[in-house]
Amino acid sequence: MQSLNENFSQFQHYFSIGRFVDCVSFLSACFSENSKGTLRKLYKEKILPSKEFCRINFNTLQCPTGYKAYFQILTHQYSTITRHDKFLKSLSKRQLLQGVASFLEKWNAELKYNAKWGIEFINQDANYLETERQSLVLNHAGKGFQYLLENYYKEAPDIDNESIIWNLDTEEIFLNLFNELMPISHLLDFLELHLLFDWSMELKNGNELVIIPPNNDVENIVKADFKDLLKGKFIFHLFEPIVKKELIDGYFEIINSKKKPKSTIVGPSQNTSIQEKENFVWFLMLTIDADFKVEEEVTLFKYLFCPGLKEANISLVDGTILPLKDVFRVTSILSMMSQEFIKKIDTEYKEGVEYYSKRAPSNFLLNLQLKRCRGDRKKIEETLKKWPLAKEAQEEQRTIIWQSKNKISNEYCLIQQEITPLVKGIHQVTGLAKDFIHKVLDIFTYQPNLAVNNTRTPFHKIGDKLCWFPNLVAYNSFADNLVDALISRNMLSMHRLQTEVSEKSMNQAFALCGYKIIKREEDKIIKDDNGRPITDFDVLAYKNGHLFHFEIKLTNSRNSYSERFVWKKNVLSKAKKQLNKGRNYINNHPEKIREILDLEQNTPIIKIHSFILSNSFLFDNELIGEYRKVSFSDVIGLLLNYEEAQMFESEDYLKYQIKQIIKEKPWQVPPSEFKKWANGELHLDFKECLPRIQKYVRAYHEPLWKNGKRTPEKLAKYLNENRLFAFLEDNIKLVQGTVYNIGGYKIQSPFIIAKTVHTIIGGD
């Protein structure tokens, strides 16, 4: 029987000339021989999940019922989307951007209003709602907008077609389009989980398509995935006190310096026009506001790639050095500019809500009634159930939001700046060379032929203008995006970044804490008896009989299941093999290890602690073979006690630790006000109570230290126990995911959605 793998060219020939009946016959034969292998081949060759594949009529296809249902759902969804083809293909590049921007920015304004309403009337958590808002916007841009870019934007003309008029009908098309595009991403998740992680794809009750993980272990799999995400967000929230401190120290260093710094401002002359002077002042105000953002981006980048270094820059493939602070100076000014546009959007939306609310008496009365509940969830639920005008008020609420969204000017939703004046303005207030500013803008400008998501490269060049969506730049992390953008342009080598920056930074961190490390680069390479390289030591650090052995594996963003699978299978598995080789060498040549670490020959090596170490939180705390995978944040946090990283300045972290103490040591009862404060039952003046709270929590952490010193045995123990972030386990609950009804089938979102319970990014 012919297999798809051996005769794929024949299938492609049938497909290219439209012989779809032959395609079905050929696939039926292949599925009967090896169903999963056939599906895997279609996925590997990028035929699935594509709209071209859906031109085939699957009614007579012989394959597993789950596969057939999947194909029919995919076909129905793509046919729904392609009904907009004529409209979308009539748009220019700018008009397509304008349509998407209007949808995203106005929807964002709606999310903000809903959050404000939730905070004011039903006591929802503000941090959670803000994080949820940003995540939703980025998710829609990263998936829905990416599809439009790949299928319509690159073919769209640069010249506008004046016959297109932007009105409510036009914007409704984009609203419907994004609602139709999101299930496509879930269908891709279905496929990748089935093919790469062995989840079964089954049809139940004749019309319900579900996928089930091995051993039906949904909860642990989803929780592990969500913990990785939550850990990253938690770490990000800890940066604020660090950034503030560094920014203030920098200001005072300038103020107290005897040698005053030379001004970098290149302002316009007195003879220039009023307009140019006003533009200069505007850019000057933006760059002042951007100071904090610059420090935040630099801190984040160092934390992600070189946590032990004080200064960090990147060596590019061409040998030039990319100064990070200058890069983030440019992007931060654009972030501040974007926030100005968002303020205009918010103002117009607020005015709309205030105007239309006056005509909605039920909505006003319900809000008043809910406010009297003072955040009591039980009273709120009873009010919404019993109050006679609740339904009418909710209808009025929807009308208010719709009217207010359409009051927002489309010109605010898509920022369009002429490139030459933009570069000149940044140059005048920073002193940075214009060529360098152009280079930074190019790095973060979307190009259709590059394999990088548009959220990483949010700028679009159309003619002589640079265009972007305010929310994709105002709250985007360019520190997180920079490596992705550079790699996609072949400007950066990940290997070079690892060896020149990350390995150096981690070795320095251990040296700072009194560990012996390898000082000579040539000593890191392990050779066999014939002088041939076997592997190398990324980090080898010794103290008090304990030898820490880390294999570092950097990665750029891994957003899809396939990207995660490939990284785990190819990269983390390789790290396991390298650690095996390293441990064998250590055990067989202890005298050589003592030599390269500058230890006395009688120095004991009591225990070897080997870990896979990465900048990414993916698969944290998992065992890859016999080795635990940990992140920079785990090692640096425990090594430096996070006290030096201001972790104990975080209100949320202290609340978590009190809860953890209560759980692990119920006999060690904290003061009653601390317990109530941690559980959200009591308000305390955090600044006033901080010293007492810190003292109590630090006492719990004292076992990590011995006589005030960091002990390597506790460092190894706590790394294996995931000590710093174990509390996340108890702050996650699972709720039902989205159920879609498509083409007569019900599909369950590939996983149950995990949410935090009263964490730094959320309430229920």
Side-chain angles (χ1 to χ4, degrees), residues 185-297:
S185 67
H186 289 308
L187 287 168
L188 177 59
D189 290 338
F190 259 80
L191 190 62
E192 292 186 343
L193 285 169
H194 173 61
L195 294 177
L196 305 176
F197 292 94
D198 293 322
W199 290 42
S200 62
M201 185 185 293
E202 301 175 10
L203 186 67
K204 292 189 174 183
N205 303 321
N207 71 336
E208 296 179 18
L209 184 64
V210 297
I211 59 169
I212 304 167
N215 304 318
N216 201 25
D217 192 15
V218 176
E219 181 162 339
N220 287 332
I221 291 172
V222 174
K223 276 192 172 183
D225 201 35
F226 195 72
K227 273 189 294 184
D228 297 339
L229 173 66
L230 193 60
K231 185 175 178 179
K233 291 185 176 181
F234 184 89
I235 291 295
F236 187 81
H237 277 74
L238 297 175
F239 290 149
E240 189 170 345
I242 305 172
V243 171
K244 281 183 178 177
K245 182 179 183 300
E246 291 189 3
L247 191 59
I248 291 170
D249 288 347
Y251 283 151
F252 273 89
E253 186 177 334
I254 293 171
I255 292 169
N256 296 323
S257 175
K258 292 181 180 178
K259 187 178 179 181
K260 299 301 177 184
K262 185 180 178 181
S263 175
T264 57
I265 297 176
V266 187
S269 66
Q270 288 291 337
N271 299 326
T272 54
S273 67
I274 294 294
Q275 182 63 48
E276 190 170 345
K277 288 179 181 177
E278 288 178 351
N279 286 342
F280 169 75
V281 172
W282 184 46
F283 274 99
L284 187 61
M285 297 304 294
L286 290 175
T287 195
I288 292 170
D289 290 340
D291 276 357
F292 185 86
K293 179 73 173 174
V294 173
E295 293 296 334
E296 186 177 63
E297 296 280 40

Side-chain angles (χ1 to χ4, degrees), residues 227-472:
K227 273 189 294 184
D228 297 339
L229 173 66
L230 193 60
K231 185 175 178 179
K233 291 185 176 181
F234 184 89
I235 291 295
F236 187 81
H237 277 74
L238 297 175
F239 290 149
E240 189 170 345
I242 305 172
V243 171
K244 281 183 178 177
K245 182 179 183 300
E246 291 189 3
L247 191 59
I248 291 170
D249 288 347
Y251 283 151
F252 273 89
E253 186 177 334
I254 293 171
I255 292 169
N256 296 323
S257 175
K258 292 181 180 178
K259 187 178 179 181
K260 299 301 177 184
K262 185 180 178 181
S263 175
T264 57
I265 297 176
V266 187
S269 66
Q270 288 291 337
N271 299 326
T272 54
S273 67
I274 294 294
Q275 182 63 48
E276 190 170 345
K277 288 179 181 177
E278 288 178 351
N279 286 342
F280 169 75
V281 172
W282 184 46
F283 274 99
L284 187 61
M285 297 304 294
L286 290 175
T287 195
I288 292 170
D289 290 340
D291 276 357
F292 185 86
K293 179 73 173 174
V294 173
E295 293 296 334
E296 186 177 63
E297 296 280 40
V298 171
T299 301
L300 176 58
F301 187 90
K302 287 195 294 185
Y303 197 90
L304 288 172
F305 295 100
C306 45
L309 294 183
K310 192 166 185 179
E311 296 293 333
N313 293 308
I314 293 180
S315 296
L316 300 180
V317 170
D318 63 6
T320 60
I321 301 297
L322 192 66
L324 291 179
K325 207 155 193 173
D326 290 344
V327 171
F328 299 137
R329 172 67 63 190
V330 175
T331 60
S332 296
I333 289 173
L334 299 178
S335 293
M336 293 303 110
M337 184 185 295
S338 301
Q339 289 184 28
E340 291 294 318
F341 277 80
I342 291 171
K343 287 176 185 176
K344 294 176 181 178
I345 293 171
D346 290 346
T347 299
E348 289 202 346
Y349 188 76
K350 181 183 176 183
E351 289 173 354
V353 170
E354 290 174 352
Y355 174 78
Y356 295 113
S357 292
K358 293 175 183 177
R359 305 183 178 192
S362 300
N363 184 71
F364 173 79
L365 291 171
L366 175 59
N367 287 350
L368 187 64
Q369 193 76 8
L370 289 172
K371 207 165 188 177
R372 288 172 181 163
C373 296
R374 299 183 181 278
D376 187 312
R377 289 183 179 273
K378 190 173 180 180
K379 289 182 180 179
I380 289 167
E381 288 173 5
E382 289 174 355
T383 300
L384 291 172
K385 285 179 182 177
K386 296 179 181 179
W387 202 53
L389 295 178
K391 188 174 181 180
E392 289 84 346
Q394 289 169 357
E395 287 296 326
E396 288 174 356
Q397 186 91 339
R398 281 191 283 270
T399 303
I400 290 168
I401 290 171
W402 175 251
Q403 292 172 323
S404 303
K405 280 168 66 177
N406 288 291
K407 190 178 183 301
I408 299 170
S409 169
N410 286 327
E411 297 305 312
Y412 295 152
C413 297
L414 180 67
I415 300 176
Q416 303 176 63
Q417 294 284 314
E418 290 186 18
I419 295 173
T420 301
L422 177 66
V423 170
K424 181 179 179 181
I426 296 173
H427 162 71
Q428 287 181 327
V429 296
T430 62
L432 297 173
K434 292 180 181 179
D435 287 346
F436 176 80
I437 298 169
H438 277 290
K439 183 176 183 178
V440 173
L441 295 179
D442 286 342
I443 288 171
F444 294 108
T445 295
Y446 176 79
Q447 291 183 18
N449 59 326
L450 298 180
V452 62
N453 191 276
N454 74 91
T455 58
R456 305 284 174 182
T457 52
F459 302 112
H460 300 267
K461 279 187 181 177
I462 301 176
D464 62 351
K465 289 185 177 180
L466 195 70
C467 307
W468 69 91
F469 307 162
N471 267 283
L472 287 193

Side-chain angles (χ1 to χ4, degrees), residues 87 91-106 145 148-149 153 160 164-167 170-171 174 178 341 345 408-416 460 462 465 467-470:
F87 168 75
L91 302 179
S92 67
K93 284 184 170 64
R94 188 194 67 82
Q95 288 170 330
L96 183 60
L97 291 180
Q98 185 71 71
V100 177
S102 296
F103 163 73
L104 284 177
E105 296 300 330
K106 292 179 181 184
F145 181 43
L148 296 179
L149 285 171
Y153 181 81
D160 285 352
I164 297 296
I165 300 172
W166 295 106
N167 53 32
T170 310
E171 293 184 10
F174 280 94
F178 270 82
F341 277 80
I345 293 171
I408 299 170
S409 169
N410 286 327
E411 297 305 312
Y412 295 152
C413 297
L414 180 67
I415 300 176
Q416 303 176 63
H460 300 267
I462 301 176
K465 289 185 177 180
C467 307
W468 69 91
F469 307 162

Side-chain angles (χ1 to χ4, degrees), residues 638-689:
L638 289 166
L639 195 62
L640 303 180
N641 190 17
Y642 263 138
E643 185 177 328
E644 296 170 17
Q646 308 291 321
M647 197 164 189
F648 280 94
E649 302 293 329
S650 167
E651 179 175 351
D652 300 290
Y653 183 76
L654 293 171
K655 284 182 178 180
Y656 284 140
Q657 292 303 327
I658 289 174
K659 290 179 184 178
Q660 197 71 12
I661 294 169
I662 295 169
K663 178 186 174 184
E664 293 186 6
K665 298 183 178 182
W667 62 88
Q668 189 176 323
V669 182
S672 60
E673 70 268 29
F674 289 178
K675 183 177 179 180
K676 290 180 180 179
W677 172 73
N679 290 323
E681 300 167 1
L682 178 69
H683 172 74
L684 291 178
D685 187 322
F686 182 63
K687 288 185 179 179
E688 184 180 318
C689 298

Side-chain angles (χ1 to χ4, degrees), residues 600-612:
E600 297 291 335
Q601 279 304 312
N602 60 351
T603 303
I605 299 177
I606 300 170
K607 191 161 186 180
I608 306 168
H609 308 284
S610 299
F611 297 91
I612 298 172

Side-chain angles (χ1 to χ4, degrees), residues 567-607:
W567 187 58
K568 186 176 185 180
K569 181 183 178 183
N570 295 346
V571 180
L572 297 186
S573 294
K574 181 183 177 183
K576 175 187 70 175
K577 294 175 183 177
Q578 289 173 296
L579 286 174
N580 282 336
K581 292 177 182 178
R583 283 181 73 93
N584 288 337
Y585 187 87
I586 293 167
N587 288 322
N588 295 328
H589 302 86
E591 73 291 342
K592 184 64 178 175
I593 298 302
R594 294 187 184 97
E595 180 185 335
I596 62 177
L597 290 172
D598 289 332
L599 299 173
E600 297 291 335
Q601 279 304 312
N602 60 351
T603 303
I605 299 177
I606 300 170
K607 191 161 186 180

